[in-house]
């Protein structure tokens, strides 16, 4: 009866608590711990309870366990019979995904061959797990294939934080390939939520890129956000021998590489925002021939700066495109060049390229 009473008390506290014996077998965990580390097993090693990505059947004994701060903290507490505090960096499993979490662990000897581990920053760890879940969801919003409307494409998506504010999308409608690249204001969680809105609200049934952007503008206004929030968009429809395009405040040119050189395509129009009462968006078109390459970029590419403050610029993108033979080749070259140019990205970087 007394044991049940103590368990009820521990289940009511917000600090995540786990109790293990000298063999690193977990004998108890409270509700806060189980929320942070949801697992399949009700019994097992501490590795099972912490959803460790290593082989947990021999917790603390495999090559992957060498230097493990988690097992080491418990072992040191048992050997020294004193409280041990460690900062733990830990690889955990979440479904089929593996990701890294870090937390502060305090292990206290209880006597009787037991030690109690308490996570001091459980709230921060819970936020980190939620951000990881959001990151996984956002990854699922990215284009899944390599073909659309009979056109092969490739894309680059490098968020500067765990959650990005750029959105690349490619799809097929009426046998045509469509490409959309959007850049929302801000960074981090708020930008990620706004990019998810774009994914859901963009009208893929509209055959006119300008109409799709106009419809997105109407839905954006229904959010009733303030003037700090906005979206820039570049959208294309690729037909048999022409590309129809439209832009909304997207100041980065669309690039078309042909046998005679590279064309920079610009179209002035306002971003999707609440800044104007009746924003107007227009379609324009350009012809292409088989073998050409079409590229859409966000300003994270052109405004990427190196340690000297120099920008990669449109010229950097054009130079990369000039010696790239295919869409896939361009995307690989662009990523390599950007990472060589700037070791620390300070904006989301996104690009889509089509083989025409």
């Amino acid at each position: 009866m007394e044991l049940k009473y103590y368990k009820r008390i521990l289940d009511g506290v917000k600090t995540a608590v786990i109790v293990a014996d000298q063999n690193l077998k977990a004998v108890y965990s409270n509700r806060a711990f189980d929320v942070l580390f949801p697992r399949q097993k009700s019994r097992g090693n501490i590795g099972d309870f912490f959803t460790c990505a290593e082989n947990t059947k021999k917790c603390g004994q495999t090559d992957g366990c060498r230097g493990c701060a988690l097992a080491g903290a418990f072992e040191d507490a048992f050997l020294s019979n004193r409280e041990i505090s460690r900062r733990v960096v830990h690889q955990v499993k979440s479904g089929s995904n593996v990701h890294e979490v870090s937390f502060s662990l305090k292990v206290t000897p209880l006597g009787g061959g037991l030690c109690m581990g308490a996570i001091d920053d459980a709230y921060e760890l819970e936020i980190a797990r939620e951000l990881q879940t959001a990151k996984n969801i956002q990854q699922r919003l990215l284009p899944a294939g390599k073909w659309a409307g009979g056109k092969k494409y490739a894309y680059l998506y490098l968020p500067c934080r765990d959650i990005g504010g750029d959105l690349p999308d490619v799809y097929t409608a009426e046998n045509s390939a469509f490409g959309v690249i959007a850049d929302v204001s801000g960074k981090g969680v708020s930008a990620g939520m706004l990019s998810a809105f774009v994914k859901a609200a963009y009208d893929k049934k509209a055959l006119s890129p300008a109409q799709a952007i106009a419809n997105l503008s109407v839905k954006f206004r229904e959010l009733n956000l303030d003037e700090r929030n906005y979206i820039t968009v570049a959208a294309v429809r690729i037909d048999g021998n022409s590309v129809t395009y439209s832009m909304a405040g997207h100041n980065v040119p669309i690039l078309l590489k042909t046998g005679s050189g590279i064309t920079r395509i610009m179209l002035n129009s306002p971003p999707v925002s609440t800044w104007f009462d009746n924003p107007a968006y227009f379609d324009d078109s350009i012809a292409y021939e088989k073998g050409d390459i079409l590229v859409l970029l966000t300003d994270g590419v052109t405004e990427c700066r190196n340690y000297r403050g120099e920008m990669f610029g449109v010229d950097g993108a054009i130079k990369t495109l000039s010696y790239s033979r295919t869409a896939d080749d361009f995307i690989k070259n662009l990523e390599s060049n950007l990472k060589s140019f700037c070791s620390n990205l300070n904006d989301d970087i996104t690009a889509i390229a089509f083989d025409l």
Side-chain angles (χ1 to χ4, degrees), residues 239-311:
D239 298 309
N241 55 11
S242 67
V243 175
T244 302
Y245 58 91
S246 186
M247 298 186 191
H250 203 79
N251 59 0
V252 182
I254 297 173
L255 304 178
L256 177 64
K257 179 183 179 181
T258 65
S260 57
I262 296 175
T263 301
R264 300 170 54 166
I265 303 169
M266 298 290 293
L267 189 63
N268 293 326
S269 56
V272 173
S273 65
T274 58
W275 302 348
F276 306 97
D277 291 334
N278 297 298
Y281 302 101
F282 305 96
D283 285 329
D284 206 341
S285 62
I286 187 170
Y288 73 85
E289 295 183 358
K290 185 176 177 58
D292 293 349
I293 302 174
L294 179 70
V295 170
L296 287 75
L297 307 165
T298 61
D299 60 10
V301 175
T302 57
E303 295 178 7
C304 179
R305 294 180 181 272
N306 62 16
Y307 70 95
R308 293 190 296 268
E310 300 166 336
M311 289 198 300

Side-chain angles (χ1 to χ4, degrees), residues 25 41 45 48 54-59 61-62:
K25 297 286 187 181
K41 299 180 180 179
N45 298 313
D48 291 315
E54 295 290 340
N55 179 7
T56 57
K57 290 183 179 179
K58 296 183 178 181
C59 188
Q61 302 174 33
T62 65

Side-chain angles (χ1 to χ4, degrees), residues 1-12 19 27-30 110 114:
M1 184 68 180
E2 190 174 276
L3 181 60
K4 290 183 179 179
Y5 179 71
Y6 288 137
K7 285 184 176 179
R8 285 177 60 188
I9 293 175
L10 287 172
D11 277 339
V19 178
V27 299
Y28 170 77
S29 61
N30 71 345
L110 300 177
L114 297 176

Side-chain angles (χ1 to χ4, degrees), residues 127-142:
I127 291 175
R129 290 184 66 92
E130 292 298 325
L131 287 175
Q132 181 63 40
T133 299
K135 179 181 178 180
N136 293 339
I137 292 173
Q138 191 173 61
Q139 289 291 323
R140 295 176 184 273
L141 299 180
L142 299 176

